[in-house]
Amino acid sequence: MGHTPKSDREVWNNFREGDDSSLSLIYSRYAKSLYRYGLKFTGNRDIIEDVVHDLFVDLIRNRKTIGETSNIQFYLLKSFRRKLVRQLRGEMRYSDGPSTETNFDVHYSAETGFISEETRDIRLKRLNEAVQQLSPRQKEAIYLKFQKELAYGEISELLGMGTEACRNLVYRAIKSLREFYSPDGNLPVLLLILKHSGYF
């Protein structure tokens, strides 16, 4: 008989209580995802690797005092984002670039079999052109909503805004994408592509 998969809450509590196998599970399940998320903010892979490393070092160091969670992905994304943005803004202070706006960029790729060979390149090129019309904040919001499948309340907490404002942000982003990518109003197709496409 197979074992029933443990819930996020169980895995997290086991980790907090010193279970190293739970730590290994958390790392193997989420480290690459955090790294890919970091690439949306910066192409500096050394910084991303350092932040991922520092995040897990802090988790181990503070495992007995960190709070509970029922959504490990959200907890890690929030902690990682805070650390990475702080690091990037620190780097910007030593350059001529602005330190108040955090960049976020995405590009879509097709998962095998989702979009037919004949139309894949055309659709993805069009979608990427549409995405580039969005603000960094809109890009991040739809990434978190459709790729990470976070709830509006979680996205709003990550982005430091109210839940209703977050809903409006995603709505405006989808509206803009629909107008640019799918002027005939074929919103269901657009949402399916957003949901089932990956990111470089």
Side-chain angles (χ1 to χ4, degrees):
M1 291 179 62
H3 295 290
T4 302
K6 293 180 179 178
S7 68
D8 273 16
R9 189 181 298 279
E10 289 176 293
V11 172
W12 190 251
N13 285 338
N14 288 344
F15 159 66
R16 293 168 67 219
E17 292 166 5
D19 178 26
D20 286 336
S21 65
S22 294
L23 169 63
S24 297
L25 177 62
I26 292 169
Y27 184 86
S28 65
R29 187 176 291 173
Y30 297 109
K32 287 183 179 178
S33 176
L34 293 173
Y35 184 84
R36 288 193 297 268
Y37 185 41
L39 287 173
K40 312 304 178 242
F41 291 94
T42 177
N44 191 323
R45 295 170 184 267
D46 290 336
I47 288 180
I48 298 170
E49 289 174 0
D50 287 346
V51 174
V52 172
H53 175 267
D54 290 347
L55 171 60
F56 278 92
V57 167
D58 287 348
L59 287 176
I60 295 168
R61 182 184 298 128
N62 302 315
R63 69 197 305 171
K64 294 186 181 300
T65 58
I66 57 177
E68 294 187 5
T69 184
S70 59
N71 188 333
I72 295 174
Q73 175 182 240
F74 171 65
Y75 185 99
L76 295 178
L77 284 172
K78 181 180 177 183
S79 301
F80 174 78
R81 186 185 192 278
R82 183 173 58 245
K83 284 178 175 290
L84 180 62
V85 169
R86 186 186 306 128
Q87 177 74 19
L88 293 176
R89 286 180 176 167
E91 295 284 325
M92 288 178 189
R93 280 197 288 271
Y94 297 100
S95 71
D96 296 328
S99 60
T100 55
E101 179 67 20
T102 302
N103 189 37
F104 189 92
D105 202 10
V106 294
H107 293 277
Y108 287 89
S109 62
E111 289 187 347
T112 303
F114 177 69
I115 301 176
S116 67
E117 190 85 22
E118 296 76 24
T119 60
R120 179 184 60 193
D121 291 343
I122 296 172
R123 285 191 176 186
L124 289 174
K125 181 176 184 293
R126 185 69 174 167
L127 178 59
N128 279 308
E129 289 173 353
V131 168
Q132 295 314 307
Q133 309 304 308
L134 303 179
S135 70
R137 203 166 180 80
Q138 287 176 318
K139 291 176 188 177
E140 187 173 5
I142 63 168
Y143 174 84
L144 294 170
K145 177 64 178 171
F146 293 102
Q147 190 68 20
K148 296 302 183 184
E149 298 183 338
L150 297 186
Y152 283 111
E154 294 169 333
I155 299 170
S156 64
E157 190 173 336
L158 270 173
L159 300 184
M161 62 194 308
T163 303
E164 193 58 35
C166 179
R167 287 180 184 275
N168 290 336
L169 182 70
V170 172
Y171 169 79
R172 288 195 302 271
I174 293 174
K175 183 173 183 286
S176 177
L177 287 175
R178 181 174 58 186
E179 290 171 353
F180 188 93
Y181 172 83
S182 183
D184 60 353
N186 199 347
L187 182 59
V189 171
L190 173 61
L191 295 183
L192 277 173
I193 293 173
L194 281 171
K195 185 173 180 60
H196 292 283
S197 293
Y199 288 85
F200 289 125

